Amino acid sequence: MARIFGRKTILLAVGVLALTLAGGGIAVAGPGHRADPDAVRVAGKVVQQPPVTQADIDLAKAALLKGDAAVQASSAQLFAVVSANGGLIRGSQAVSATSLGLGVYQVVFNVPVNTGAFVATIGLTGSVGTSPSGLISVVGRTNLAQGVFVQTWNASNQPANRSFHLAVFLP
């Protein structure tokens, strides 16, 4: 039977493996609390959502208890039109909108939306005029299944208050 590897080749392979393990170690990926690489950064720091207040949780629970079970089980149309100062102008299934700071908003619905998809656009609250340009980002609200977290920026990528339209699509 022919030998495929000689003694020197095996020793070389073992040596390379030993050096690799000793020098670089083995990297193992695991769950951690690192920020999403796509997360928004301002001055190099990841922008975090502010904590949910107990009043927000109570309001969401009260709205959920009032909600129609048929609507909760269906793929209902949920939307909100929110002013630049955080006021809920109109919506479907929207309970409240709140400004949490410069260009940072929370919108709460009367059904859980954490399994849905969010779409938002900068836009005026009325039907006449042209909206100032800007950027918008949406994500589910941390620790509030009925909430959506929205951030807005001006065209220069600086946080800015902007009115917006938000749509939620449930499975």
Side-chain angles (χ1 to χ4, degrees), residues 90 124-129:
R90 63 184 176 277
L124 297 177
T125 59
S127 57
V128 178

Side-chain angles (χ1 to χ4, degrees), residues 131-171:
S131 178
S133 62
L135 306 167
I136 190 165
S137 174
V138 293
V139 67
R141 184 72 166 105
T142 301
N143 298 324
L144 188 61
Q146 294 165 250
V148 179
F149 184 74
V150 180
Q151 292 177 280
T152 58
W153 297 268
N154 62 22
S156 300
N157 205 25
Q158 299 298 315
N161 292 334
R162 294 284 189 262
S163 56
F164 60 90
H165 298 236
L166 167 67
V168 179
F169 301 92
L170 297 178

